[in-house]
Amino acid sequence: LKPDGSRYRFGEKQVNSELAGLLELVAAEGADAFYTGPVARKMVEQINQRGGCFTLEDLSRYQPKYRTPVKTTYRGLEVAAFAPPSGGCAVVEMLNILEHSDLAAMGHNTAASIHAIAEAMKLGFADRSVALGDPDFVQVDVERLMVSKAFAAQRFAQSGAQAQDYAAAENIAAKDYPGNTSHFAVMDRFGNAVSQTQTVRDWFGCGIVVGGYGFVLNNAMSDFSAKPGALTSQGLTYGSANSIQGGKTPLSSMAPSMVFKDGRPYLAIGAAGGPRIITGTLQGIVNAVDFGMLPEQLVRQPYLNCLTREQGLELEFGISEDTIRLLEQKGHRPVRVPVDQAMSTMLNSVMRVDGDYYAAGTGRVDGCGGALLPDGSAVLEGVSQEI
């Protein structure tokens, strides 16, 4: 809404001069201008006015945590995804499970391939619920859960022809020590690639804009477990490994990922959309590797999402009714997404094939694929833009 309460109309320009001023300040003075001084004082003041318990020291002591990506292979290609406590770990486990199903032979979005993918999703979410947490606070068995092909084979063997719910695997619980999100993917001609996701979690985070600086505060505290087994606003449950603790990072669905071919980035991919980040990124990789799709194709497919059998198998418009009936016979509980709606599976990717680059973003939200040319101009969705 505009300051006078009216709504913006198509073509109107929205200006956030306060945020522009903040960005200029950080560009001139560095990150300390954000984590200390007037900006930090304003954040602490506005949080504590609403019952918070922040201090200036909390912000000044903040440091980013560097994590080693988790890696696996899928159909002979190397896959790297972000480390615990991110959603990339679940993507890796699900790919390891799916490697035991011949998805290409089953066909794209057939009852057989949807069933295999849905069961892999449920197995991955079941294990994630108890096995993952901030590795600075709990010991996460990365080798078994995300690297071991033998473990994935054991989990796959527990699935069958009928849909079911799954308990987490035995002895994988993390041990104590003695979904607003955006994503972008970039590749250059030198072989460098970036896959990056950032979030304030729910729509507009906690709904508080820091006065004078034009940015919204997140509500990522709700990614922690209020108590073991409690359902979050995004439909997830967790164990004690994801309990609230000072200095701890909560579990996240963010899953920026890369697929490598012959040691060079082949696909940089990721998504926005809460837990559907995980399931969307998984399907994007499957669509590329198993079905040979380019980004323009793989971001526009009808997507599915399944956390538990009880919550249901979400299916976007474009999955045939014949297929849905076959899935019902397998014990799934379909949740049909109406034709005029779409799930929050907001995927984008960049792919390199034989020296050529392909990029595309979903049409569900703002953003598109494009290229920056040597003369400084940009090509966006095939149209050259002078800069």
Side-chain angles (χ1 to χ4, degrees):
L1 296 178
K2 296 180 181 179
D4 63 5
S6 63
R7 295 184 179 276
Y8 285 92
R9 297 176 63 86
F10 182 82
E12 285 191 271
K13 182 184 292 186
Q14 182 182 14
V15 177
N16 188 338
S17 56
E18 293 180 348
L19 180 59
L22 173 62
L23 294 176
E24 290 177 348
L25 176 65
V26 173
E29 300 182 14
D32 284 347
F34 184 85
Y35 291 106
T36 62
V39 182
R41 285 195 294 272
K42 195 65 172 178
M43 281 192 280
V44 170
E45 173 188 315
Q46 291 199 221
I47 292 169
N48 291 349
Q49 284 175 348
R50 294 164 172 82
C53 54
F54 271 46
T55 68
L56 288 172
E57 187 180 34
D58 290 329
L59 291 174
S60 64
R61 291 174 57 188
Y62 175 78
Q63 293 292 326
K65 296 181 179 182
Y66 294 92
R67 305 291 191 198
T68 301
V70 293
K71 295 181 179 180
T72 190
T73 57
Y74 183 67
R75 317 289 191 204
L77 303 180
E78 183 182 1
V79 179
F82 199 59
S86 86
C89 307
V91 171
V92 166
E93 183 187 0
M94 292 171 189
L95 287 172
N96 285 337
I97 293 169
L98 281 175
E99 211 165 27
H100 296 275
S101 298
D102 190 347
L103 299 178
M106 293 174 181
H108 183 256
N109 276 356
T110 61
S113 65
I114 290 174
H115 173 73
I117 293 170
E119 297 306 285
M121 288 175 178
K122 288 184 287 185
L123 283 163
F125 276 109
D127 290 342
R128 178 178 183 264
S129 68
V130 301
L132 294 185
D134 186 338
D136 288 343
F137 290 80
V138 295
Q139 292 177 323
V140 179
D141 193 346
V142 171
E143 185 66 30
R144 182 183 179 203
L145 189 64
M146 286 151 267
V147 177
S148 172
K149 296 291 188 178
F151 174 76
Q154 293 169 3
R155 293 301 271 156
F156 170 76
Q158 294 176 15
S159 63
Q162 290 297 114
Q164 54 186 305
D165 269 329
Y166 302 94
E170 294 182 0
N171 301 317
I172 64 163
K175 305 296 192 299
D176 289 338
Y177 278 120
N180 283 6
T181 306
S182 63
H183 178 270
F184 64 80
V186 181
M187 282 191 189
D188 70 14
R189 60 191 175 93
F190 303 107
N192 301 303
V194 175
S195 184
Q196 192 265 358
T197 314
Q198 73 85 30
T199 188
V200 293
R201 198 177 186 274
D202 286 345
W203 293 112
F204 295 100
C206 64
I208 299 170
V209 175
V210 177
Y213 297 103
F215 66 95
V216 68
L217 297 174
N218 69 59
N219 68 325
M221 278 289 289
S222 54
D223 276 329
F224 281 116
S225 302
K227 63 179 181 179
L231 197 66
T232 72
S233 64
Q234 296 184 337
L236 300 169
T237 59
Y238 300 118
S240 60
N242 193 42
S243 59
I244 298 171
Q245 199 168 347
K248 191 176 186 180
T249 302
L251 282 183
S252 168
S253 296
M254 294 189 291
S257 304
M258 290 192 196
V259 181
F260 296 82
K261 182 182 292 186
D262 300 325
R264 183 177 179 131
Y266 152 69
L267 176 67
I269 192 167
R276 298 186 185 95
I277 293 173
I278 296 171
T279 56
T281 302
L282 173 75
Q283 289 166 90
I285 294 173
V286 164
N287 287 342
V289 176
D290 290 275
F291 299 106
M293 295 185 191
L294 296 175
E296 188 73 20
Q297 298 167 300
L298 68 85
V299 300
R300 284 168 170 75
Q301 296 301 312
Y303 278 85
L304 62 113
N305 182 67
C306 193
L307 308 184
T308 66
R309 180 176 176 273
E310 181 67 28
Q311 289 179 322
L313 172 58
E314 295 178 300
L315 298 167
E316 291 187 331
F317 185 81
I319 308 296
S320 76
E321 284 299 317
D322 286 343
T323 297
I324 294 175
R325 280 191 289 272
L326 290 172
L327 290 166
E328 287 175 323
Q329 292 171 17
K330 290 178 176 292
H332 290 282
R333 298 180 177 181
V335 178
R336 293 168 175 82
V337 178
V339 63
D340 60 341
Q341 297 179 26
M343 294 190 298
S344 57
T345 304
M346 296 170 281
L347 199 66
N348 60 48
S349 66
V350 179
M351 183 185 291
R352 181 180 182 273
V353 181
D354 298 328
D356 293 324
Y357 293 84
Y358 300 85
T362 177
R364 303 164 191 231
V365 290
D366 292 340
C368 65
L372 181 64
L373 303 182
D375 65 0
S377 61
V379 175
L380 303 174
E381 297 287 19
V383 179
S384 178
Q385 309 285 327
E386 297 296 329
I387 294 179

